[in-house]
Amino acid sequence: MSNAYASAPEADIILSTRVRLARNYADLPFEAKIAPEEAQEVIKRAAARLCGDEDEHFTFLRMSSLDENERKVLSEKRLVSLDLLAKPETGAALVSDDETVSVMLNEEDHLRIQAMLPGLQPERAAEKAFHADDRLGAAEPFAFDAKWGYLTSSPTNAGTGMRASAILHLPALTLSKRMGALAQAVGKLGFTLRGMYGESGEADGCLYQMSNQAAIGRSEDDIVQNFLAVCAQAAEQEREERKRMIERDQDAFADKMMRTVGILLNARLMDEREFMRMYSDLRMAAGVGLLNIPVPGIDRLMLEMQPASLNALAGDELSERDRLLLRASEVRTRLTALMDDDEHME
Amino acid sequence: MSNAYASAPEADIILSTRVRLARNYADLPFEAKIAPEEAQEVIKRAAARLCGDEDEHFTFLRMSSLDENERKVLSEKRLVSLDLLAKPETGAALVSDDETVSVMLNEEDHLRIQAMLPGLQPERAAEKAFHADDRLGAAEPFAFDAKWGYLTSSPTNAGTGMRASAILHLPALTLSKRMGALAQAVGKLGFTLRGMYGESGEADGCLYQMSNQAAIGRSEDDIVQNFLAVCAQAAEQEREERKRMIERDQDAFADKMMRTVGILLNARLMDEREFMRMYSDLRMAAGVGLLNIPVPGIDRLMLEMQPASLNALAGDELSERDRLLLRASEVRTRLTALMDDDEHME
């Protein structure tokens, strides 16, 4: 069932895994009470630790030196949060060259260390996050309590300061209306599953984020192992549901998927919501082997067709109509290239 | 505006023109009172006149010797009427090899002589019909009254016995809701415009039939000339409306048309109504030059995708599902071939 191109574990269902660590310097006030010069001290320390690194090169980005579209592109790439964008004066980020590790500075905590990898790889992502954590905490100690663990602005992050999250693509479970039951089931295990990108609870592109609820009371390793298990199980349920859907009516399934391909290859105007629906179909068709298109290529296409990324591509703030035109034209070109790379299965 | 491939006059808008002549032998009772052996006499006379012809070869088809699907194929090709199909015992037809001339025997009148040509060609079609008429009436005289003209089963056909009709493709006038006004306007001139193929007044594929209301009170030539003028005018209105539609939003127009192409080239299941809608888009896109596909090829595709024609292609009575599959697969193959013949314009 899994696609040959989906080299990362569970990549047919899981787009990416992220492990985030919240840290605060013990000798500086937390975010609610921090003074501007103290926030600059956070930046100075973190940049000094990571920018000189020879193994892994980091780029330092001060939010105030980026224009609005550049900031939005960082958010669309999930390298920084919307909360950081809301702090143009003191907010900053350190981003590794391969964009797998990013550290947000002066967001809700002094440091938010994030490592993001394709597919389901919480152990490897945690390793990468801890590696950055070790380097960042080497000189100035972090706020840590023997009983409570790491101290954070919000008590929900205290303890390990760790949040593991993953983006799951669950179109079959969505169509069969099983998402409510799944969200409830994982809730009982201490995890949250919620729609991404969509408004009012809908999940555009059938993308959902799974994450652990509490950072306290368990070891980091326990969090990672439990997270791994619950994500793998959700992915397996999605695979089973896709199988049932295809067995129920293979022709209707192929018809729906191939019509999507036809529209993507021919439309002249395409808005974001429609594109996300079609991305979801395309990703599922590739995931089950109906189309020989590499899933990572489809995900890259999705990320690059977001509004700020399209503006960046055009080198200009696009009008609404021009964005619809550019999205349609880029999708045609890029999808054609993705399909030409491999044999388009009949 | 007109397509290079639409070699027949007005073929960007008008699919075909038909001229039909109603004739009855003077010495045989009309249809309502005809005895079976007299109906056989009609067949014998007509076949004797046309089958021996050396210029134009005709095939003789007795409805009773065809199976149900073969009869439906004749109707889908518009060579015989549904009324003739309802008379399997005495109904018959003579069809010229190029299928431009067909004579129905023992339909509402003894003879219904029809000549059908692509585009708007009522004069040429009338010529062809009169040529067959001359040969059929050469030995046994037709019922003719000095005051009333040719006598027919239904008084609406008496006089010239002539009905000119054409199939018009009017998607832009349909979309802009101008069909009601057009039908009223041509009605005042003595013509009828009604939707073809659709149920309850809708016109599947935006195809309409224009025909003259009365066969009496005017010369054949007047009927033909008036018909020519009113059809050409309707076609011109459609062209103007297409132009306005494109000028209003060229991108939206291209988007709609190209999505249709994408679906036609990729769908795995296609029902007749959806196909007719898409045929209409495709024909308009070719008609205005957005696509370089020959319009006659698109019309042939439409005729061949009808249910009985698909059964004939499969050599079997298809299940509903199998027909959806075969239609989708044939459309993919044939449209690809039509597009490969010519350069697919960007």
Side-chain angles (χ1 to χ4, degrees):
Chain A
M1 200 58 116
S2 74
N3 190 291
Y5 295 97
S7 48
E10 317 270 352
D12 56 331
I13 311 286
I14 301 183
L15 279 74
S16 60
T17 309
R18 183 162 68 180
V19 169
R20 180 267 281 160
L21 303 171
R23 299 288 185 260
N24 293 277
Y25 292 112
D27 61 334
L28 295 174
F30 280 15
E31 184 249 359
K33 298 197 173 175
I34 199 166
E37 58 281 10
E38 291 166 326
Q40 295 310 321
E41 174 64 20
V42 167
I43 291 174
K44 206 179 108 190
R45 289 179 184 181
R49 287 285 140 205
L50 290 188
C51 283
D53 193 63
E54 282 177 13
D55 299 353
E56 193 169 22
H57 184 257
F58 279 80
T59 301
F60 174 68
L61 299 165
R62 206 182 276 275
M63 291 305 114
S64 61
S65 67
L66 302 175
D67 68 28
E68 200 192 329
N69 198 68
E70 289 170 327
R71 291 198 292 266
K72 281 185 188 161
V73 169
L74 289 179
S75 158
E76 288 180 354
K77 288 179 167 184
R78 309 187 69 241
L79 294 170
V80 305
S81 66
L82 291 174
D83 282 349
L84 191 75
L85 296 193
K87 297 180 178 178
E89 317 81 26
T90 55
L94 288 155
V95 179
S96 72
D97 279 0
D98 64 1
E99 298 188 343
T100 58
V101 181
S102 63
V103 185
M104 289 193 285
L105 310 177
N106 297 314
E107 207 241 27
E108 191 183 296
D109 294 294
H110 293 160
L111 307 179
R112 286 279 176 103
I113 305 162
Q114 310 182 122
M116 184 159 63
L117 291 171
L120 181 61
Q121 305 192 64
E123 291 164 302
R124 181 89 191 88
E127 257 176 52
K128 289 185 86 100
F130 284 125
H131 183 61
D133 177 39
D134 288 345
R135 284 149 60 196
L136 286 160
E140 302 85 0
F142 291 139
F144 187 85
D145 179 272
K147 188 180 170 198
W148 294 107
Y150 289 101
L151 302 178
T152 53
S153 282
S154 163
T156 56
N157 294 314
T160 60
M162 178 189 274
R163 175 144 298 161
S165 64
I167 304 179
L168 285 72
H169 179 226
L170 306 174
L173 292 171
T174 303
L175 267 170
S176 63
K177 307 204 181 300
R178 297 164 79 102
M179 286 308 304
L182 180 60
Q184 246 186 333
V186 304
K188 286 181 188 158
L189 300 170
F191 294 89
T192 301
L193 188 60
R194 59 175 185 78
M196 284 192 73
Y197 296 115
E199 286 155 30
S200 67
E202 284 178 71
D204 282 354
C206 300
L207 296 180
Y208 297 85
Q209 185 175 59
M210 179 90 82
S211 59
N212 58 314
Q213 284 163 2
I216 205 160
R218 290 183 191 177
S219 73
E220 283 89 344
D221 194 49
D222 271 4
I223 293 174
V224 164
Q225 292 307 324
N226 287 340
F227 181 76
L228 184 65
V230 79
C231 285
Q233 209 169 15
E236 195 49 37
Q237 279 191 35
E238 168 67 18
R239 263 182 225 111
E240 294 288 324
E241 194 59 40
R242 290 181 184 188
K243 217 169 143 184
R244 269 195 290 277
M245 182 192 283
I246 294 169
E247 279 166 3
R248 217 156 33 227
D249 192 340
Q250 187 147 13
D251 295 327
F253 180 81
D255 182 57
K256 184 170 184 293
M257 299 300 126
M258 294 311 298
R259 281 168 182 251
T260 292
V261 171
I263 291 173
L264 287 171
L265 288 175
N266 286 280
R268 270 23 187 187
L269 295 170
M270 186 157 295
D271 71 28
E272 195 177 8
R273 292 203 68 177
E274 182 188 29
F275 173 70
M276 287 303 286
R277 279 199 305 277
M278 300 212 157
Y279 152 78
S280 177
D281 280 356
L282 195 65
R283 196 182 199 284
M284 175 155 61
V288 301
L290 176 70
L291 285 174
N292 258 336
I293 310 180
V295 171
I298 299 173
D299 289 342
R300 211 176 312 118
L301 181 67
M302 182 271 282
L303 290 172
E304 289 168 354
M305 293 302 104
Q306 296 177 95
S309 300
L310 283 172
N311 283 342
L313 185 68
D316 202 1
E317 178 79 20
L318 292 162
S319 71
E320 181 57 24
R321 170 55 69 105
D322 284 344
R323 187 151 51 233
L324 302 184
L325 283 165
L326 182 61
R327 184 180 288 112
S329 133
E330 287 294 318
V331 165
R332 288 201 306 278
T333 312
R334 295 178 190 216
L335 184 55
T336 303
L338 281 173
M339 295 178 81
D340 283 349
D341 277 354
D342 312 275
E343 207 53 20
H344 172 189
M345 274 168 66
E346 263 310 296
Chain B
M1 199 59 117
S2 72
N3 191 291
Y5 294 97
S7 48
E10 316 271 352
D12 56 331
I13 311 287
I14 301 182
L15 279 74
S16 60
T17 308
R18 184 162 69 180
V19 169
R20 179 266 282 160
L21 303 172
R23 299 288 185 261
N24 292 277
Y25 293 111
D27 60 333
L28 294 173
F30 280 15
E31 185 249 0
K33 298 197 172 173
I34 199 166
E37 57 281 9
E38 292 166 325
Q40 295 310 320
E41 176 64 18
V42 167
I43 290 174
K44 209 180 106 188
R45 289 179 183 179
R49 286 285 140 203
L50 289 188
C51 283
D53 192 64
E54 282 175 12
D55 300 351
E56 192 168 23
H57 184 256
F58 280 80
T59 301
F60 174 68
L61 298 165
R62 206 182 274 276
M63 291 304 114
S64 60
S65 67
L66 302 175
D67 67 28
E68 201 191 327
N69 198 69
E70 289 169 328
R71 290 198 291 266
K72 281 186 188 161
V73 169
L74 289 178
S75 157
E76 288 180 354
K77 289 178 166 183
R78 308 188 69 239
L79 294 169
V80 304
S81 66
L82 290 173
D83 282 348
L84 191 75
L85 296 194
K87 297 180 177 177
E89 316 81 26
T90 55
L94 288 154
V95 180
S96 72
D97 280 0
D98 65 0
E99 299 188 343
T100 58
V101 181
S102 64
V103 185
M104 290 193 285
L105 310 177
N106 297 314
E107 207 241 26
E108 192 183 295
D109 294 294
H110 294 161
L111 307 179
R112 286 279 177 103
I113 306 162
Q114 310 181 122
M116 184 159 63
L117 290 172
L120 181 62
Q121 303 191 64
E123 291 164 301
R124 181 88 191 90
E127 258 176 52
K128 288 186 86 100
F130 285 125
H131 184 61
D133 176 38
D134 288 345
R135 284 149 61 197
L136 286 160
E140 301 87 1
F142 291 139
F144 187 86
D145 179 90
K147 187 180 169 198
W148 294 108
Y150 290 101
L151 302 178
T152 52
S153 282
S154 163
T156 56
N157 293 313
T160 60
M162 178 190 275
R163 176 144 299 162
S165 64
I167 304 179
L168 285 73
H169 178 225
L170 306 173
L173 292 171
T174 303
L175 266 170
S176 63
K177 307 206 181 300
R178 297 164 79 101
M179 285 308 303
L182 181 61
Q184 247 186 332
V186 304
K188 286 180 188 159
L189 300 170
F191 295 89
T192 300
L193 188 61
R194 58 175 186 80
M196 285 192 72
Y197 296 116
E199 286 155 31
S200 66
E202 284 177 71
D204 283 354
C206 300
L207 296 181
Y208 297 83
Q209 186 176 59
M210 178 90 82
S211 58
N212 59 314
Q213 284 163 3
I216 205 161
R218 289 183 192 177
S219 73
E220 283 89 344
D221 194 48
D222 272 3
I223 293 174
V224 164
Q225 292 306 325
N226 287 340
F227 181 78
L228 184 65
V230 79
C231 285
Q233 210 169 14
E236 195 49 36
Q237 280 192 33
E238 168 68 17
R239 262 181 227 112
E240 294 288 325
E241 194 60 40
R242 290 181 184 188
K243 217 169 143 184
R244 269 194 291 276
M245 182 191 282
I246 294 168
E247 280 166 3
R248 218 156 31 229
D249 192 341
Q250 187 148 14
D251 296 326
F253 180 82
D255 182 59
K256 184 170 184 293
M257 299 300 126
M258 294 311 298
R259 281 167 183 251
T260 293
V261 172
I263 292 173
L264 287 170
L265 288 174
N266 286 280
R268 273 16 188 192
L269 295 171
M270 186 157 295
D271 72 28
E272 195 177 9
R273 292 203 68 177
E274 182 188 28
F275 173 70
M276 286 303 286
R277 279 199 305 277
M278 300 212 157
Y279 152 79
S280 177
D281 280 355
L282 195 65
R283 196 182 198 286
M284 174 157 60
V288 301
L290 176 70
L291 285 174
N292 258 335
I293 310 181
V295 170
I298 298 173
D299 289 341
R300 212 177 311 118
L301 180 67
M302 182 272 282
L303 291 172
E304 289 167 355
M305 293 301 104
Q306 295 177 97
S309 299
L310 283 173
N311 283 341
L313 185 69
D316 201 1
E317 178 78 20
L318 292 163
S319 71
E320 180 57 24
R321 170 56 69 107
D322 284 343
R323 187 150 50 234
L324 302 185
L325 283 164
L326 182 62
R327 185 180 289 112
S329 133
E330 287 295 317
V331 166
R332 287 202 304 279
T333 312
R334 295 178 190 215
L335 184 55
T336 303
L338 281 172
M339 294 179 82
D340 283 348
D341 278 355
D342 311 274
E343 207 54 19
H344 172 189
M345 273 170 66
E346 262 310 299

